[in-house]
Amino acid sequence: LWIGLLNKGLIRMEDPSFKHQNSVDELSEKSVTGILQDEEQGYWVTTLDKGIYYFPNFAVKQFKLPSNSKITTVNKTSNFLITSDFSGLISAFQPQSGHMIWQKDFGSPIISTFIDRKNQIWASSNGETYILNETGEILKKNLPANIIDFTFSKDKILGITNYGYFEFDESGNRKKIRDPDSQFRNLHNTGKEIYMGGKN
């Protein structure tokens, strides 16, 4: 049962006892006048004076990011949703509400990010690669720049750039394994084999 309220949004009763109800955050201060479910299971909600809203699926949470820059990566630590973008911002959000917990500006496009077993965030930019903890504190920097992709390999972390193939421990200590013989976009370890996806 859907109930539209005056200036208080839309609530959804999910069982006959009316004990369990959910609200739709995006409509919280709107006056809802009607709701329609289309043939593709999307929902159209009309409001008194704020137009019509479309929701493809209420189970999918939507929230706007503070930056209008191109998103380069999305990852998840144990507690936060981590995004990076082309302006150089790394942001941590609370996944359920979309509330921003912290944000750091590295001033250079973030190319890739990776979450290791300690929930550390590896973020590679055009200038260098950083390791941050889950609260955004920089633990290590000045690692090789332009790491296109990371993967696990037993107790090591592998990273690849256009100029080198590297092995790291979780503290960021590294050694260069080899020079790449092509340009790569992706790196994946199955446990027995390492796959590198080329650009062409």
Side-chain angles (χ1 to χ4, degrees):
L1 176 65
W2 299 89
I3 302 174
L5 304 170
L6 183 65
N7 298 320
K8 292 187 178 179
L10 179 69
I11 59 175
R12 180 176 68 211
M13 301 292 188
E14 300 205 19
D15 65 78
S17 71
F18 301 123
K19 290 181 179 177
H20 301 290
Q21 59 179 315
N22 289 313
S23 59
V24 180
D25 294 340
E26 293 88 348
L27 300 169
S28 61
E29 298 178 1
K30 312 289 189 301
S31 295
V32 174
T33 56
I35 184 166
L36 170 77
Q37 185 176 22
D38 62 27
E39 293 179 356
E40 297 176 349
Q41 309 307 307
Y43 291 91
W44 299 81
V45 180
T46 59
T47 64
L48 189 62
D49 54 6
K50 299 294 184 183
I52 299 172
Y53 292 79
Y54 171 67
F55 299 89
N57 187 336
F58 280 113
V60 177
K61 296 287 184 182
Q62 300 179 39
F63 56 91
K64 292 185 179 180
L65 300 178
S67 168
N68 289 325
S69 184
K70 175 182 169 185
I71 300 297
T72 53
T73 66
V74 178
N75 279 297
K76 173 96 170 47
T77 65
S78 59
N79 296 303
F80 303 131
L81 179 70
I82 307 294
T83 67
S84 66
D85 66 35
F86 206 71
S87 73
L89 288 175
I90 297 179
S91 309
F93 298 90
Q94 204 283 329
Q96 284 72 37
S97 68
H99 176 70
M100 188 192 311
I101 307 301
W102 58 263
Q103 187 174 68
K104 285 201 176 297
D105 187 352
F106 291 92
S108 181
I110 303 298
I111 297 165
S112 66
T113 59
F114 177 75
I115 309 300
D116 67 19
R117 293 179 182 95
K118 295 180 179 178
N119 279 303
Q120 296 177 144
I121 304 158
W122 296 60
S124 189
S125 73
N126 288 342
E128 59 187 304
T129 294
Y130 307 84
I131 303 175
L132 298 85
N133 66 16
E134 201 176 13
T135 61
E137 176 188 0
I138 296 175
L139 303 175
K140 189 153 188 163
K141 54 186 181 177
N142 298 318
L143 298 175
N146 293 306
I147 296 179
I148 300 162
D149 200 11
F150 295 90
T151 190
F152 281 115
S153 177
K154 297 181 182 175
D155 59 341
K156 301 292 183 184
I157 295 165
L158 306 178
I160 193 163
T161 70
N162 286 331
Y163 58 86
Y165 175 62
F166 297 91
E167 180 182 88
F168 302 88
D169 65 21
E170 289 180 328
S171 297
N173 301 310
R174 69 187 185 271
K175 62 179 178 179
K176 187 173 180 181
I177 304 298
R178 55 175 284 188
D179 294 322
D181 52 9
S182 182
Q183 289 190 322
F184 297 101
R185 287 185 185 273
N186 308 96
L187 187 62
H188 180 70
N189 177 36
T190 65
K192 294 181 179 179
E193 298 166 313
I194 296 168
Y195 290 86
M196 292 175 277
K199 284 191 174 182
N200 298 311

